[in-house]
Amino acid sequence: SSPHSPLMSYEAMSLDVQHLLTRLGISKCILLGHSMGGKTAMVLALQRPDLVERLISVDISPVVTTPVSEFSAYISAMKSVKLPDGLSRSAARQLADDQLRPVVQLPQLRQFLLTNLVEVEGRYVWRVNLEAISHHLADIMNFPVFHKPYPGPALFLGGSNSPYISPKDYPEIQRLFPKADVQYIEGAGHIVHQDKFEEFITAVLNFLPPP
């Protein structure tokens, strides 16, 4: 729903969040981000630790994320969805689901992508900036270089069925986030908060400071 920009780097997205905090009058926050949002949250915490009281990164590490080809295929599939005008929302979602199925086999992932299908003046469009995402896929999969660690408490909350927080990432997590705790939610995939909502909420609440 925010204005779109052709620029899509973690530095640019971190600045977006900084501007939002200023606009909302928030001088220090607890920042939670999932996947690309988790990397954005990490970059903000590393750039401006004064703004971040605690950090929660959901199913993503501060390293290069692979495989890119998979994401590239998802974006191409979303771009190629064709929907006639005047459909009901449920019919449009069903038709888009059918068209995505050959490429995006996981039903949960399709449902997640379909949350971005919106109606604008009688036509269905993707509300995410697919052009910018496809042009900046290498940047999105990467992670900027930092030398100074974030000194605050951090929680890396992964899904046990997801490869995105792996033991080989622990040294880099430890280097950049020395107060990090790594936890996994049993039975959750990449979209942890969708797969195991209650367990996700419990883990987040347990990490927050007592009121």
Side-chain angles (χ1 to χ4, degrees), residues 63-64 66 163 165-172:
V63 297
V64 174
T66 52
I165 300 177
S166 130
K168 69 179 189 327
D169 306 336
Y170 294 172
E172 191 61 359

Side-chain angles (χ1 to χ4, degrees), residues 10 17 34 43 49 61 95 113 120 122 141 145-146 161 182-183 203:
Y10 285 111
V17 181
H34 167 252
V43 168
S61 296
L95 189 54
L113 295 177
V120 178
M141 294 298 138
V145 175
F146 288 95
N161 299 341
V182 179
Q183 293 176 24

Side-chain angles (χ1 to χ4, degrees), residues 51-121:
L51 296 175
V52 182
E53 184 187 325
R54 280 169 188 245
L55 170 73
I56 305 162
S57 176
V58 182
D59 209 56
I60 203 75
S61 296
V63 297
V64 174
T65 306
T66 52
V68 176
S69 57
E70 213 174 276
F71 290 98
S72 211
Y74 297 159
I75 291 161
S76 298
M78 288 170 81
K79 278 182 172 177
S80 63
V81 165
K82 298 274 183 292
L83 301 172
D85 296 353
L87 288 180
S88 70
R89 182 163 169 69
S90 58
R93 278 188 76 136
Q94 187 56 59
L95 189 54
D97 191 49
D98 294 342
Q99 292 179 36
L100 289 174
R101 190 176 290 115
V103 179
V104 188
Q105 271 114 25
L106 272 178
Q108 306 95 305
L109 185 54
R110 284 201 308 279
Q111 288 309 308
F112 180 66
L113 295 177
L114 287 166
T115 60
N116 292 293
L117 190 66
V118 292
E119 189 185 355
V120 178
E121 294 166 7

Side-chain angles (χ1 to χ4, degrees), residues 138-161:
D139 291 328
I140 292 165
M141 294 298 138
N142 220 321
F143 191 77
V145 175
F146 288 95
H147 300 292
K148 199 175 174 195
Y150 167 71
L155 172 64
F156 284 76
L157 190 56
S160 69
N161 299 341

